[in-house]
Amino acid sequence: MSYKMIDLCAGIGGIRRGFELAEGFENVLSAEIDKYACMTYRHLYGDDPENDITTEEFKQKVEKTGYDILLAGFPCQAFSRAGKQLGFHDKTRGTLFFDIADIIKRTRPKAFMLENVDNLITHNKGETFDTIINTLVTELNYKVIGVKNKNGKIEYNAKTFIRNSRNFGVPQNRPRVYIMGFNREFWGDWVDDLPDVLPEKREEKIYEDLNDLLEMNAEPEFFLASGYLETLERHKARHESKGNGFGYRIVNLPEIENPVSNALLATGGSGKERNLVTDMREGIAGMKLSSRKTPLNDKGVRVMTPREWGKLQGFINYGFKDKNGKDTFSFPEGIGKAQQYKQFGNAVTIPVIEETAKFMKQCLKRLEEYKGEK
């Protein structure tokens, strides 16, 4: 079987790519509103994703599109505290989840997969996640993997929805929430026979650890100025004196066994400062750059490069290799380094999505067999 999918809140298409690598999935419609992410998406896939999922125009476009699987990496937004008498529908209004739920309600895909930050499960003391699950299970009538619905009572352990990139072949500590559901109206009660746990790891490692991924002898522009490094050191020392663990991190120190990076962040600065590395390239110490007020530091401390971030997310050196093993990933002209960091920081980790997509494919195959026996 081949399944048609739509890619919402698409970013630069990491969820789409993970499903394509799992084979048996074809993308037919995409939606993204960030101008620069759209440039990269068009460059990588040849499709124009510039659509806004909050508009009636786009929702009608989806209604006219034949598809099977809805994919979305939607951002976490605050939900209203509307009273229970108004229902889940009103509590989610004004959020992108509301628009995704509305599209699901209108078009009834066979299955969906949603991705979000791990803070989603604790947001608003757990009410946000509870509203999402109740909307999907009770209002939309989908079987969500990891959720039991006993006589209308919803039971689940929110932590079982979290998967960490570091368990899927890449050395990045990146916990994220994944929600997968199957249309009970289409598949019937067969959905209750599906496995109730999403994949927790990938057997094959892409990298042994962070040292296996880093590309040493980086360009001078990635090394910290001595004055900036001293500022970071003072900031960290102040927090440590108060018993806090805040501050910069060097993630490949020699004493660290099997090093991994911290989660990459789209916000740039803090995402870089928590993922500094040492790279003792000759000639760097004391070098003066016109863009820095002080010479480069003498400890070999630098930020990771966009290429290294791309490898940590599975875009570079994995997700876009051709049949000959050649890496074909690239950014289009006009996407500067700040945008590259932002786009990788906002993206999903492709190998995690690939394993999740393989799991969905197995579930769909089982459901197709059940339906054939009926």
Side-chain angles (χ1 to χ4, degrees):
M1 293 292 294
S2 180
Y3 297 96
K4 293 180 179 179
M5 58 190 184
I6 63 172
D7 188 17
L8 310 183
C9 308
I12 60 173
I15 294 180
R16 167 181 176 161
R17 191 62 188 143
F19 271 75
E20 288 176 343
L21 289 175
E23 299 182 345
F25 298 95
E26 175 195 2
N27 195 72
V28 294
L29 184 64
S30 310
E32 174 56 50
I33 59 171
D34 183 275
K35 178 175 74 170
Y36 296 104
C38 286
M39 287 171 61
T40 300
Y41 197 102
R42 281 191 290 269
H43 175 73
L44 291 174
Y45 302 103
D47 297 337
D48 186 2
E50 203 161 336
N51 289 297
D52 184 345
I53 70 169
T54 67
T55 64
E56 180 63 24
E57 178 187 7
F58 179 73
K59 291 174 182 179
Q60 289 182 11
K61 186 186 291 189
V62 179
E63 288 180 309
K64 296 172 184 175
T65 302
Y67 80 102
D68 307 296
I69 313 296
L70 181 145
L71 308 173
F74 69 103
C76 176
Q77 299 160 283
F79 288 8
S80 75
R81 293 182 175 272
K84 289 184 179 180
Q85 69 275 12
L86 297 177
F88 309 124
H89 187 269
D90 288 271
K91 285 183 74 173
T92 64
R93 189 176 294 279
T95 71
L96 289 181
F97 174 75
F98 166 82
D99 295 293
I100 291 166
D102 191 30
I103 291 169
I104 292 174
K105 186 175 184 177
R106 292 184 186 205
T107 59
R108 306 299 302 173
K110 294 177 181 176
F112 63 76
M113 200 284 290
L114 310 178
E115 180 268 353
N116 208 296
V117 295
D118 61 321
N119 287 344
L120 181 69
I121 68 169
T122 55
H123 186 267
N124 198 16
K125 298 181 179 179
E127 286 186 25
T128 296
F129 192 69
D130 197 53
T131 299
I132 288 172
I133 294 300
N134 273 282
T135 301
L136 296 170
V137 174
T138 305
E139 185 171 310
L140 299 178
N141 200 19
Y142 276 72
K143 162 63 181 177
V144 172
I145 300 298
V147 176
K148 289 181 171 58
N149 186 1
K150 296 180 178 178
N151 301 318
K153 185 179 179 182
I154 305 298
E155 296 179 2
Y156 64 87
N157 179 350
K159 292 182 179 179
T160 63
F161 290 86
I162 297 177
R163 295 294 178 269
N164 198 322
S165 297
R166 68 185 297 174
N167 299 322
F168 290 81
V170 293
Q172 182 189 176
N173 183 32
R174 188 184 187 84
R176 287 294 185 269
V177 166
Y178 301 91
I179 308 170
M180 184 182 294
F182 295 87
N183 186 346
R184 187 179 290 277
E185 290 178 7
F186 182 83
W187 299 113
D189 290 339
W190 295 117
V191 293
D192 292 321
D193 291 336
L194 294 175
D196 218 27
V197 181
L198 294 175
E200 297 179 272
K201 62 180 181 178
R202 169 193 171 102
E203 295 301 330
E204 178 190 355
K205 282 189 177 182
I206 301 170
Y207 304 101
E208 285 300 317
D209 57 28
L210 191 59
N211 290 324
D212 191 27
L213 174 148
L214 294 173
E215 299 178 356
M216 293 304 181
N217 294 313
E219 293 300 310
E221 65 179 297
F222 297 107
F223 287 81
L224 271 56
S226 54
Y228 180 43
L229 179 57
E230 288 166 9
T231 299
L232 291 180
E233 289 172 338
R234 287 195 298 270
H235 176 261
K236 185 172 184 175
R238 280 198 304 273
H239 279 292
E240 286 181 343
S241 67
K242 299 175 185 177
N244 298 326
F246 304 127
Y248 76 95
R249 291 277 182 89
I250 297 176
V251 290
N252 71 328
L253 292 172
E255 60 266 28
I256 300 175
E257 190 175 348
N258 300 318
V260 299
S261 79
N262 291 303
L264 308 181
L265 302 177
T267 49
S270 58
K272 294 178 188 176
E273 292 165 9
R274 301 284 285 178
N275 280 306
L276 298 177
V277 297
T278 54
D279 180 355
M280 301 306 295
R281 176 177 173 176
E282 289 187 14
I284 289 294
M287 181 184 290
K288 295 182 179 180
L289 299 182
S290 59
S291 58
R292 311 290 169 82
K293 293 181 180 179
T294 55
L296 298 185
N297 75 90
D298 60 2
K299 297 178 181 178
V301 178
R302 66 167 174 85
V303 299
M304 286 194 211
T305 66
R307 264 190 63 82
E308 290 165 338
W309 277 36
K311 290 167 78 173
L312 282 167
Q313 291 287 54
F315 282 81
I316 294 175
N317 197 40
Y318 183 76
F320 289 83
K321 282 188 173 182
D322 63 19
K323 293 179 180 178
N324 299 316
K326 181 183 177 184
D327 186 13
T328 65
F329 179 87
S330 64
F331 283 105
E333 287 186 21
I335 301 297
K337 288 187 175 64
Q339 270 296 323
Q340 292 176 25
Y341 281 120
K342 180 181 178 182
Q343 291 179 13
F344 283 142
N346 262 332
V348 296
T349 308
I350 289 177
V352 184
I353 302 298
E354 181 185 7
E355 292 301 312
T356 307
K358 288 177 180 177
F359 174 85
M360 178 183 280
K361 189 165 71 168
Q362 291 169 356
C363 291
L364 291 168
K365 182 181 178 183
R366 182 181 295 191
L367 291 171
E368 296 282 3
E369 290 171 352
Y370 286 154
K371 232 175 155 45
E373 293 172 1
K374 191 173 179 180

